[in-house]
Amino acid sequence: QVQLVESGGGLVQAGGSLRLSCAASGSIGSINAMGWYRQAPGKQRELVARITSVGSTNYADSVKGRFTISRDNAKNTVNLQMNSLKPEDTAVYYCNADLRERSRIVSRSYWGQGTQVTVSS
């Protein structure tokens, strides 16, 4: 069984910074892409940032230049450094991994439980 556990959310003033972390654990065979998504009240879940196993990244236009995604393949972790935060960044942030369990041939998408990020103006 595989789990993704996020940490690092909280309340911050506009212009501040937060760092989110996500650790994958369990019977992991391999991890392809990892990423962060967010969902604000009344809105659809959207991609924030994504990183492949070889380090290629892509970001939502709204966070480019402010957020940085990184991963440690040896530790099965992915981080999101969020700087210059804005009130519109307020959302529940979810970790995602395209991951293959050891007992399986194909990979599938796994989600963390979510962590709240609130940016006050």
Side-chain angles (χ1 to χ4, degrees), residues 21-116:
S21 296
C22 172
S25 62
S27 182
I28 298 170
S30 60
I31 304 178
N32 302 316
M34 301 185 81
W36 290 93
Y37 290 71
R38 66 186 181 188
Q39 187 166 19
K43 294 189 176 182
Q44 288 189 330
R45 191 174 296 189
E46 62 175 2
L47 173 69
V48 176
R50 186 172 178 270
I51 184 168
T52 69
S53 58
V54 295
S56 297
T57 59
N58 63 289
Y59 296 90
D61 287 343
S62 60
V63 307
K64 282 181 181 176
R66 300 188 297 123
F67 291 11
T68 302
I69 190 170
S70 61
R71 66 187 280 179
D72 185 329
N73 290 335
K75 297 180 180 179
N76 293 330
T77 58
V78 61
N79 301 304
L80 186 68
Q81 178 65 42
M82 305 185 294
N83 299 327
S84 303
L85 282 160
K86 304 176 181 179
E88 50 264 43
D89 294 318
T90 295
V92 177
Y93 284 68
Y94 296 91
C95 176
N96 173 263
D98 180 37
L99 182 155
R100 182 183 62 80
E101 291 186 51
R102 282 203 195 100
S103 62
R104 298 188 181 272
I105 297 173
V106 296
S107 62
R108 73 171 182 88
S109 186
Y110 290 80
W111 293 92
Q113 80 284 359
T115 184
Q116 177 70 46

